[in-house]
Every structure is written in structure tokens, then in C-alpha cells.
Amino acid sequence: MTLYSKIVGTGSYLPPKRVTNDELAKQLAEKGIETSDEWIVSRSGISARHYAESDVLSSDLAIEAAQRALEMAKLQPDDIDLIIMATSTPDHLGGFPSTACVVQRKLGITNGAAAMDVQAVCSGFVYAMSVADSFIKSGAHKNVLVIGAEVFSRILNFEDRTTCVLFGDGAGAIVMTASKEPGILASKLHADGSHGHILCVPGNVNDGAVAGNAYLYMDGPAVFKLAVSVLDKVAREVLAIAQVDAKEVDWLIPHQANIRIMQGTAKKLGLPLEKMVVTVDEHGNTSAASIPLALDQAVRDGRVKPGHNVMMEGVGGGFTWGAVLVRM
């Protein structure tokens, strides 16, 4: 029997603290940084974002999303035999113990399920889904919890208006399970380390202290140009592998980074904007959490239905990019 992987549950969580552009502009004005709602919206499409409180970690956001995904899937935590956590803001310096292991503990999973983090920044969730799909198809794992969670507000320089207005915190999760019916139709992942400098956190740890700059750096124009190009190409690669025409795609869920990048991608694929799920206006860029947050919202409000073909794709620092075509 041919094994496939299928999404059987989705969940998401946003920290309660919602910050509008006007509120953020007032905070930045106190530091002598000028910005406005009009300036932010015109360049990114973002109107608000959510910030976690200082004592809230990525794992705390992750378990909220995971519990909701498990509830929809009608599974208990110990039914999970693999946890894959996509994050660029892990709970611990150095990344260990992995945030996936922390999530395992907080969910009360005691069955010895494997757990690991995946680091591909904003492409992380697509990478994690592809890894989960391979494990399930191989027969190695049956029920996989895939999570994207970030507290990006911790690595923002609030004196750099070109980056600090763009990002937010949040988490999204899915449960993927072995199925006789096709779910993940195709996926494709890429990376090009020669572009690593255009989106990065350039600091590192040396002798117990941070050496260099520990804030996120982004060359916006360079990222924009590269993102639109690679997202179109990887989407077409995935459609070709799946032998699905672009017209058969019911929904496009791109990484929620910038509305202009998202619209450019849809246009290149010949998809009407009505087929694109947009949450960037209310969430900002939540990195690895953005795709599962958008997917869960569209599932729960009834837009994404069983049988729909959903294209999910993202680009991130590294430079990484990838896409997954899913039949819900």
C-alpha cells in the first residue's frame, strides 16, 4: 500500500498584546524615530502585529497552537510520534535543548517521540512540512506535529524603522498523519548561501557574551527582488512535479512578509488575488509561524475546505525558499 501524508488538524495562537501602526509610531517617536501608519501600510500592507510579553517564550506560543491542532485532529498528545519545530527564536541560547523538546515536555508527551528543530527562518514551516512528509511516506512515523513559532520582537532594533515595523510574534501548527489518500502532493526546497548577508542576525556568542550585532538586519530591496523571482519558480516546480495546473490551485498561502511580494507572486502564477489568503495586515511578518497561522485562519473561517488544493510557499534568511502543494 502506498503511504501518503495528510493534514488532519490545524491550530494557531497570537499573543494578546496587539500593537497598531499608530501605537508603534508613538513609541518610536519617543526614540526620535519618525514613521506613520501610512508609511508602513504603503510599503508592507501591515496595519498591526502582536507582541509576546517578556516572560513568554516560543514554546509557550507553540503549545497553544499545538493543542488546538490536536483537538481538531481528535488526537491526544501521546498519539504524536514526531515533533518538528520551525523557529528562528528558540527558547535557549545555542538552540538546545531544542524548542521541540521543550514543547514535548510542556505537552506532556511521554512516549519517547522524536523531537527536533528546523532552522530555515521564514521558509522554516515549508521545510518542516517537507521533512514530515518524507518521514511519514517512509513509514518511520505516523502522526507528526509540525509547528512554526516565533518571538521575533526579541531580535528587533526599535531604532531601525525599516525592520522593526514589519515583524510580529505568533505560532501555528498542523498535525500530519499517514493516509491512503494523497495529501501532500509535492514539495521542493532550495537554498543559496551566497545571499545570506541580505537577511540575517549577524552576531554570535563568544566567551559567554554576544559578539557583534544581535539584531535582525535586512536589505529590503534585495530581499524583495529575490523573493518574487524564486517564489514564482519554486511554485511552478511543485506544480510540475504534482502534474497540477495553476488553474487547479484553490488557494495560495504565501509567507506573509510583504503584501507587494505576495501580490507579485500571485500575478506571476496567474492566480486572482481572491485566491490568496492574507493575514499580513493583522499579523505582520511572523516568520516561520506565518504560513500555519494563515492556514488555520482560512480553515476555521471555512474558506479552505476538504479537497481544496493549497499552495504554500516561503522565502527566508539563508537564503532559503520552498513550496508545498497540499490537497486538504
Side-chain angles (χ1 to χ4, degrees):
M1 181 185 75
T2 301
L3 276 178
Y4 300 98
S5 67
K6 199 165 184 68
I7 296 174
V8 292
T10 66
S12 61
Y13 180 75
L14 292 164
K17 184 180 179 181
R18 178 178 179 271
V19 180
T20 66
N21 287 345
D22 286 334
E23 290 169 331
L24 184 57
K26 289 178 182 179
Q27 295 172 22
L28 295 178
E30 296 174 0
K31 301 173 181 282
I33 310 297
E34 290 186 12
T35 191
S36 67
D37 176 67
E38 188 278 330
W39 190 89
I40 298 169
V41 171
S42 66
R43 285 160 176 78
S44 66
I46 297 168
S47 297
R49 75 286 294 146
H50 291 250
Y51 291 153
E53 298 297 335
S54 60
D55 59 344
V56 173
L57 304 173
S58 287
S59 64
D60 296 317
L61 304 181
I63 59 170
E64 295 286 349
Q67 286 168 340
R68 295 172 188 185
L70 286 166
E71 182 181 359
M72 182 183 290
K74 295 181 171 59
L75 293 177
Q76 298 300 312
D78 267 340
D79 292 325
I80 297 298
D81 54 16
L82 172 62
I83 302 169
I84 306 178
M85 175 85 175
T87 186
S88 296
T89 51
D91 284 10
H92 297 286
L93 191 65
F96 65 90
S98 71
T99 307
C101 282
V102 176
V103 168
Q104 182 195 52
R105 172 177 60 81
K106 290 183 177 181
L107 284 175
I109 296 175
T110 58
N111 61 8
M116 63 178 176
D117 288 356
V118 170
Q119 219 304 30
V121 199
C122 304
S123 305
F125 192 77
V126 170
Y127 266 62
M129 284 183 66
S130 182
V131 172
D133 177 53
S134 296
F135 271 120
I136 291 172
K137 286 179 177 176
S138 74
H141 293 278
K142 180 182 179 182
N143 296 318
V144 183
L145 177 61
V146 183
I147 309 170
E150 304 283 12
V151 284
F152 250 59
S153 58
R154 309 285 163 79
I155 58 172
L156 299 179
N157 178 0
F158 283 91
E159 295 185 356
D160 176 9
R161 73 167 183 169
T162 64
T163 58
C164 73
V165 300
L166 303 178
F167 295 88
D169 304 337
I174 61 172
V175 175
M176 296 170 59
T177 193
S179 173
K180 297 177 183 179
E181 300 177 0
I184 308 300
L185 302 181
S187 66
K188 189 68 177 178
L189 306 176
H190 290 285
D192 185 347
S194 69
H195 296 291
H197 62 286
I198 67 175
L199 178 56
C200 60
V201 178
N204 56 72
V205 177
N206 191 329
D207 196 25
V210 174
N213 188 348
Y215 291 126
L216 179 146
Y217 166 79
M218 181 172 68
D219 180 341
V223 170
F224 186 98
K225 182 179 179 181
L226 189 58
V228 172
S229 172
V230 299
L231 285 173
D232 173 55
K233 290 177 183 177
V234 76
R236 294 184 185 280
E237 285 182 284
V238 169
L239 289 170
I241 295 168
Q243 296 183 321
V244 172
D245 190 271
K247 294 178 182 177
E248 299 176 74
V249 174
D250 296 291
W251 294 101
L252 173 65
I253 305 182
H255 165 49
Q256 308 285 313
N258 181 301
I259 192 63
R260 293 186 296 159
I261 294 175
M262 295 161 62
Q263 290 172 341
T265 301
K267 183 178 180 180
K268 281 179 173 287
L269 289 173
L271 294 174
L273 296 183
E274 294 76 22
K275 284 191 172 185
M276 183 170 68
V277 177
V278 177
T279 58
V280 68
D281 54 335
E282 281 295 314
H283 299 175
N285 182 345
T286 54
S287 190
S290 78
I291 290 174
L293 271 165
L295 174 64
D296 183 54
Q297 180 170 303
V299 167
R300 291 179 185 270
D301 67 23
R303 279 177 290 173
V304 172
K305 295 176 169 56
H308 278 181
N309 292 326
V310 181
M311 176 71 76
M312 294 177 251
E313 56 178 356
V315 295
F319 201 80
T320 65
W321 66 97
V324 179
L325 183 63
V326 178
R327 182 163 295 150
M328 298 298 293

